[in-house]
Amino acid sequence: MKKPFYILGLLLVTLGVLVFILSRHGKPVESSAEVLTVHCAAALQKPVREIARQYEMEYGTRIRLNFAGSGVLASQIKVSGGDLYIPADSSYIGPMKAEGLVLESTDLARLRAVVVVRKGNPRNIRSMDDLARRGVRISVGEPTAAIGSFVRRVLMESGDWERISPQILVTKPTVNNVVEDVATGAVDAGLAWDAVASQFKDVELVRVPVFEDIPRCATAGILRGAEVPAALHFMRYLAATGRGRDVFEKMGFTVPAVADSWTDAPVLTLFAGSMLRPAIEDRLRLFEQREGCRIKTVFDGCGTLLARMNENDAGAMPSAYFPCDSTFLSDVKDRFGPGMIITSNEIVMLVPKGNPRGLKKLDDLSKIGLRVGLADAGKSALGKLTMDMMMRYGCWDELHDSGNVVVLASKGEELANQMQSGALDAALIYLSNAMASPGMMADCKIIRLRQPDAIAHQPFVVAHDTPYPQMVLRLRDFITHDDARSRFEQLGFKFIKREWTDE
C-alpha cells in the first residue's frame, strides 16, 4: 500500500521542481521551435532587426539575433550552432556548404563597396589616387569582416592596396564601425558597403571603378541542426516581396530581381513525366514537410501534359515542369526559364524471362506472331522517341505492317504491367519502368538496345510566371540532391545535372 503513495509523492516533487523553474524565468520554457537563433552580419543589422521585429509580431516566434563580422560569425557557428547564418557576402556560404554546415541558401540583397567621406567631402577624395595621398587617414574593416576581406582581395589584385596601406589609420571589426569613424571625423575616409553608409546622414559615398562591377550578395543560409521548417519559414520571410525584401529596399539595399511572393503556406504545381514518379515522389513529400508548402503533382505521359499546357486555361500551367525528354519541352520553352538536364534514361526491350522468342534487336519485333507493346507517340515522350528511333533505323513501317503491335499505352509503366501479366511478348519501355517493379526480374528480361540514341534526357524547368521561383529552385535541388541520387540510380537513371539548351 505504501508504493502508490511513494509514486504520488515523487510526482508531486517533480511537479514542484517544474513550477519552480517556470516561476524563476517568469514564463514557460521555450521550445526550440519557438526561438530561432540568427547569426547576422553587422552590415545588415538595421533591416534584419526590423524584419525580425515584424516577424515576431506576425507569428509569435522569437528571433534571437547575434550580430558580428561575417568571418567571426562563421567561427562562432562551428562552436555554438544556430538556425540561420546571414553573411554580407555569399562567398562565406560556399565553404560552409562544403563543410556541411549550411544546408541551403537564398539571396537577400546586393552590396557594393565604396569610399566613404564626411559630408561635403572636405578632403576632396574622389579616387584611389586621392586615398593614397600623404596625410589622408583611412579606416578599413578587419579581415574577419566581409568588407575587410573583400576590399583587401580586390585592391591587392589591382595593385592599390600597397599604395593606400600607409594611410590606413585604423581597422575595425564591422563595416558599421568604419562608417562611424568617418561620421565622427576620426578618419578622412573609409571603405564600406554602399547600403550601410547611406544610412548615416553625416557621410557621402564616392563610387570608384575598381569596385563598381563586382557587387556582393548578402545571403541567408539554413544551418545544419536548425529547426528546419521554422528556419525555412523565416528565411522565406526575409527574402519575400511583401515582407523582408520590401524592408531591404526601403533601407537603400539593392534587392535581387527575382524573389518569391509571400504566402504563409505556398502551393506549387509540378508536371512530371510518369517515369519519374518512383524516383521523386517520396522526396516531394519530404520537401512539403520541410518547407511547409503543398505540391500538387501531376504525373502523366508527356504528350498528355503538353496538351494540358497548350489548352491555355488558368489551371494548366505548372510552377515547374520535369518531362521525360527534352523534346517535350521545346513547344512550351517560352513559358519557362533556363533549365537543367537532371538525368538520362535508356529505352530498352523487355521480354519474358528466358527470352523464348530470341529477340535481340528492333528488327526482331516484326517476327510473325509476336505480341508487341509500344507507347503512344501522341501521348508520351517514350512513344515519340520510340517511333522516331525506329523510323531512323528503317524498321517502323515493317513493324506497323506486321500487325504485331497489340498495345499502344500512354505510359511505360502500363507496358511493364502488361509484360508482367504475360499479355505481351515484347515491349519497348524505359529502363526505369522495368526497374521500378521489384518483382519484374522474376518474370522478365531486359534487352539493352545497341542504338546510341535509345536514350531520353530529363530537364527540369521553372515557369516564368510562378510566384515562387526561389522555392521551385530549392525543390529542384532537393529532389536531385546527392541524398536522392541513389534512388535514381537504383531505377536505372544516370545523373547528368548540366544546363539545358534548346539544341
Side-chain angles (χ1 to χ4, degrees), residues 5 13 140 180 202 230 279 380 388 421 469 491:
F5 287 106
V13 170
V140 299
E180 286 166 1
D202 295 325
S380 73
D388 291 347
S421 69
L491 294 167

Side-chain angles (χ1 to χ4, degrees), residues 194-257:
D194 53 359
V196 176
S198 65
Q199 297 166 14
F200 290 73
K201 63 180 182 181
D202 295 325
V203 302
E204 288 183 8
L205 280 60
V206 178
R207 297 192 180 276
V208 288
V210 69
F211 298 132
E212 274 302 281
D213 294 333
I214 40 179
R216 312 313 294 165
C217 188
T219 302
I222 302 295
L223 294 174
R224 182 181 65 194
E227 287 291 332
V228 171
L232 273 169
H233 193 263
F234 182 57
M235 187 175 82
R236 287 201 299 111
Y237 191 97
L238 279 164
T241 56
R243 292 296 189 277
R245 186 174 185 269
D246 294 3
V247 175
F248 276 108
E249 196 165 23
K250 184 178 178 181
M251 293 189 178
F253 288 78
T254 302
V255 293

Side-chain angles (χ1 to χ4, degrees), residues 12-272:
L12 288 173
V13 170
T14 303
L15 180 62
V17 170
L18 287 173
V19 170
F20 172 73
I21 293 172
L22 294 176
S23 65
R24 282 190 66 190
H25 291 273
K27 59 182 181 179
V29 177
E30 296 161 317
S31 74
S32 57
E34 294 171 332
V35 181
L36 291 175
T37 299
V38 178
H39 301 280
C40 180
L44 308 167
Q45 181 169 342
K46 192 172 180 181
V48 171
R49 193 181 291 284
E50 171 59 18
I51 296 166
R53 185 191 67 77
Q54 293 181 11
Y55 187 81
E56 288 178 341
M57 289 183 63
E58 193 167 350
Y59 291 101
T61 301
R62 182 183 160 205
I63 307 297
R64 184 188 293 130
L65 295 167
N66 174 35
F67 295 108
S70 299
V72 172
L73 293 173
S75 299
Q76 290 177 355
I77 287 166
K78 293 176 182 177
V79 176
S80 62
D83 294 293
L84 272 87
Y85 173 43
I86 313 177
D89 187 338
S90 60
S91 65
Y92 288 85
I93 291 289
M96 298 282 276
K97 281 186 175 177
E99 292 183 59
L101 296 171
V102 169
L103 303 179
E104 54 217 300
S105 60
T106 195
D107 294 343
L108 299 178
R110 299 276 189 272
L111 298 159
R112 276 187 171 80
V114 293
V115 176
V116 184
V117 298
R118 278 185 60 78
K119 197 78 172 177
N121 197 357
R123 297 297 302 270
N124 194 28
I125 295 170
R126 305 192 182 281
S127 66
M128 297 306 298
D129 289 340
D130 293 333
L131 279 182
R133 287 195 323 246
R134 185 183 297 274
V136 172
R137 300 166 303 161
I138 304 173
S139 175
V140 299
E142 293 175 357
T144 52
I147 185 66
S149 173
F150 174 71
V151 299
R152 276 173 176 77
R153 178 171 60 79
V154 173
L155 296 181
M156 284 179 180
E157 290 174 359
S158 69
D160 291 310
W161 182 255
E162 189 174 350
R163 293 198 300 136
I164 72 166
S165 289
Q167 314 311 324
I168 296 175
L169 180 67
V170 63
T171 61
K172 288 299 177 71
T174 71
V175 66
N176 307 56
N177 299 143
V178 170
V179 183
E180 286 166 1
D181 280 348
V182 179
T184 59
V187 297
D188 301 312
L191 298 176
W193 300 123
D194 53 359
V196 176
S198 65
Q199 297 166 14
F200 290 73
K201 63 180 182 181
D202 295 325
V203 302
E204 288 183 8
L205 280 60
V206 178
R207 297 192 180 276
V208 288
V210 69
F211 298 132
E212 274 302 281
D213 294 333
I214 40 179
R216 312 313 294 165
C217 188
T219 302
I222 302 295
L223 294 174
R224 182 181 65 194
E227 287 291 332
V228 171
L232 273 169
H233 193 263
F234 182 57
M235 187 175 82
R236 287 201 299 111
Y237 191 97
L238 279 164
T241 56
R243 292 296 189 277
R245 186 174 185 269
D246 294 3
V247 175
F248 276 108
E249 196 165 23
K250 184 178 178 181
M251 293 189 178
F253 288 78
T254 302
V255 293
V258 177
D260 289 0
S261 301
W262 177 251
T263 305
D264 189 31
V267 177
L268 308 179
T269 303
L270 173 65
F271 279 14

